[in-house]
Amino acid sequence: MKTYVCSLVTHILGLVLSVAGATLAFYWQLWFCLAVCVLVAAGLCCNLYRVQMKQVEMMRQIVEGMKRSDFSQLPYPVFRNRAMNELAAEWTSAIKQVRERLADEEVRRQYYGNLLDTVDTAVVVADGGGRNEWMNRAARDLFGDLHRMPDEVWDGIRKNDPVIRLEGSASPVDLALSAVRVQLQGRECYMVSLKNIHGALEKNEMEAWQKLIRVLTHEIMNSISPIISLSETLSERTQSPGSDKLLQEHIRQGLQVIHRRSKGLLEFVENYRKLTRIASPVKRSVQVFSFFADLRRLFPDEALRFGEVTPSCVVQADRAQLEQVFINLLKNAREACSGIPSPKIEVEALSCSGGVTFMVRDNGVGILPEVAERIFVPFFTTKSGGSGIGLSLCKQIVSLHGGYIRVASEPGKGSCFTLFFPEN
């Protein structure tokens, strides 16, 4: 393999000599020599053109390989030349880097593709018109061979709905919808994730029913068992011989116990009915300043302090239900501070753009962590004689207002209940 400079110099000298010979032959009218010089010059031009085309062909192969994403063939210089060797080496290094980068990206693509196929969340990439460009296995199982996003999903994306209902061929499916709009190569696309929440809702509902059934069974059995036992005892006493006065006394005591347990069971059922019959709140503008003033009259306790609020602080709520919530919370706070040397209960209100946040703090005995997780469960109570519906009622009322209630407590240091009521 010749060097490129040597070949180029040889061709140039040959062309110069051929042109000079042709000129002299024409001057001396040596037509045969003229023809020979012209043929030699033409041959040298063709050969020089062929040499250049070899370089062009090498570049063309590289470009064609890049177009086909085929980086298996590396460029080799046609001539021995330091500049050409350095260029070929740089091309080789660049192609190897691109090949390694593409291999890494292919591995990552397969990894993420397999990972997305294993999750139970449907993931879809769609263009701005709703045409599906890529789907994972869960999405294919959900949509089948659809090439476009279902109308329910597309409408949910445009309306920014967090939950949609997909009307399938068998039964409707509730889906949690999340969509992100991105720009891919100048195109608007949507990355959509859809999570079937029907199973989760059924599971939570079943757990709630199981808890409720356990509580109901426990309370009813605790009341029915002694009633049955007493009724059997009274029945036996009426058949056995004995003093009439003594028999009457036993019957009277048994009837008192039956009456007391029946009354307790009736109260339990009434409390349960209260939980299931909370009326929808009639929201009105309630001035927090005047609301706190009414609470002061209901709880004239020196340990109770209300934070300063401006007259412009207004909460949108049902006043009667709001009072019911705070009465339950303040009664619980007062009971928690009953054995504290210096009891302190604080009620504050913070107004923000999204609504009003209330905080009820006390320095009472606090709540154990395992108890704090269950205090809002209906009929759960740690008090002797407590019904266990006060905090559950509070949570339901706040939830019906569109807000939330949270508790933070530390045993021995007190508790803080946080309530948020939205402005609408």
Side-chain angles (χ1 to χ4, degrees):
M1 187 171 60
K2 300 178 181 179
T3 63
Y4 181 73
V5 174
C6 181
S7 177
L8 186 62
V9 171
T10 301
H11 281 78
I12 293 175
L13 288 176
L15 284 173
V16 171
L17 293 176
S18 298
V19 171
T23 303
L24 291 175
F26 180 80
Y27 181 78
W28 295 103
Q29 295 183 357
L30 300 173
W31 308 116
F32 179 78
C33 293
L34 176 62
V36 172
C37 290
V38 170
L39 290 175
V40 171
L44 290 172
C45 290
C46 292
N47 195 46
L48 184 61
Y49 175 78
R50 185 180 61 82
V51 170
Q52 296 300 321
M53 289 306 297
K54 286 184 179 180
Q55 306 292 333
V56 174
E57 184 64 24
M58 181 185 71
M59 300 298 178
R60 183 179 290 113
Q61 289 178 359
I62 296 174
V63 174
E64 290 296 329
M66 294 178 67
K67 288 181 178 179
R68 297 192 305 268
S69 298
D70 180 16
F71 300 98
S72 59
Q73 294 184 357
L74 299 177
Y76 294 97
V78 182
F79 298 96
R80 290 193 299 269
N81 180 267
R82 188 175 69 178
M84 296 298 296
N85 290 337
E86 290 177 355
L87 179 61
E90 291 177 0
W91 270 105
T92 301
S93 177
I95 289 175
K96 286 182 178 178
Q97 290 179 4
V98 172
R99 186 167 58 189
E100 292 173 358
R101 189 178 299 113
L102 289 177
D104 293 339
E105 290 179 359
E106 178 64 20
V107 170
R108 284 197 295 268
R109 187 190 67 82
Q110 293 181 2
Y111 171 79
Y112 290 123
N114 293 332
L115 181 63
L116 288 173
D117 281 338
T118 59
V119 300
D120 58 353
T121 300
V123 180
V124 183
V125 178
D127 60 13
R131 186 174 61 86
N132 298 333
E133 295 185 355
W134 181 87
M135 295 188 296
N136 67 343
R137 183 178 301 171
R140 292 192 294 270
D141 294 339
L142 183 63
F143 297 140
D145 295 328
L146 289 179
H147 298 291
R148 292 187 59 82
M149 197 80 69
D151 294 335
E152 297 91 340
V153 178
W154 194 237
D155 292 340
I157 293 174
R158 289 198 294 262
K159 297 177 182 178
N160 199 24
D161 291 333
V163 179
I164 62 169
R165 169 161 289 193
L166 184 64
E167 299 291 341
S169 57
S171 61
V173 180
D174 294 320
L175 301 171
L177 173 64
S178 176
V180 178
R181 184 169 58 184
V182 295
Q183 292 288 334
L184 297 178
Q185 299 178 348
R187 300 183 300 109
E188 184 182 71
C189 296
Y190 290 88
M191 298 181 64
V192 184
S193 63
L194 298 159
K195 176 70 175 179
N196 188 349
I197 61 175
H198 186 68
L201 291 175
E202 284 187 343
K203 181 180 178 181
N204 292 335
E205 183 180 1
M206 182 61 66
E207 290 179 353
W209 275 111
Q210 289 175 351
K211 290 180 180 178
L212 179 60
I213 290 172
R214 282 198 298 268
V215 172
L216 288 173
T217 304
H218 177 74
E219 293 295 330
I220 293 175
M221 291 302 296
N222 284 347
S223 298
I224 293 296
S225 297
I227 292 176
I228 294 174
S229 177
L230 280 172
S231 62
E232 291 177 351
T233 301
L234 293 177
S235 177
E236 293 174 358
R237 289 295 179 90
T238 55
Q239 297 176 3
S240 61
S243 173
D244 292 339
K245 291 184 178 180
L246 182 61
L247 179 61
Q248 290 178 359
E249 181 64 21
H250 283 303
I251 293 176
R252 184 182 65 80
Q253 293 177 356
L255 290 176
Q256 288 178 350
V257 173
I258 292 175
H259 177 267
R260 186 167 58 251
R261 295 305 304 161
S262 300
K263 186 177 180 181
L265 183 59
L266 180 62
E267 290 178 354
F268 172 79
V269 176
E270 285 293 330
N271 289 333
Y272 172 73
R273 188 166 62 178
K274 289 179 183 178
L275 284 175
T276 58
R277 291 188 178 182
I278 299 178
S280 299
V282 180
K283 295 184 180 181
R284 287 184 173 83
S285 296
V286 178
Q287 192 178 33
V288 178
F289 180 81
S290 62
F291 177 69
F292 279 1
D294 292 342
L295 288 178
R296 285 191 188 94
R297 299 185 186 96
L298 289 174
F299 293 89
D301 196 330
E302 295 180 356
L304 181 59
R305 299 185 181 93
F306 290 87
E308 296 294 332
V309 291
T310 60
S312 60
C313 184
V314 176
V315 61
Q316 300 294 326
D318 187 311
R319 189 182 182 96
Q321 293 185 358
L322 190 64
E323 285 183 354
Q324 186 176 3
V325 170
F326 276 87
I327 287 172
N328 287 330
L329 293 178
L330 293 176
K331 286 176 64 178
N332 290 343
R334 192 160 56 182
E335 292 175 1
C337 297
S338 59
I340 304 300
S342 300
K344 183 170 63 175
I345 303 172
E346 297 178 346
V347 182
E348 295 181 358
L350 301 175
S351 180
C352 59
S353 59
V356 178
T357 301
F358 294 94
M359 285 174 287
V360 180
R361 298 190 187 91
D362 66 71
N363 62 343
V365 295
I367 306 172
L368 295 173
E370 58 270 19
V371 175
E373 297 177 356
R374 305 174 60 189
I375 59 174
F376 296 110
V377 176
F379 307 108
F380 175 79
T381 181
T382 58
K383 305 174 186 176
S384 58
S387 64
I389 67 167
L391 290 177
S392 179
L393 278 172
C394 293
K395 184 174 183 179
Q396 288 200 45
I397 291 173
V398 176
S399 298
L400 288 173
H401 282 77
Y404 62 82
I405 180 171
R406 302 284 188 269
V407 61
S409 182
E410 187 174 352
K413 293 186 178 181
S415 306
C416 178
F417 285 85
T418 303
L419 302 87
F420 174 75
F421 288 85
E423 61 182 2
N424 294 323

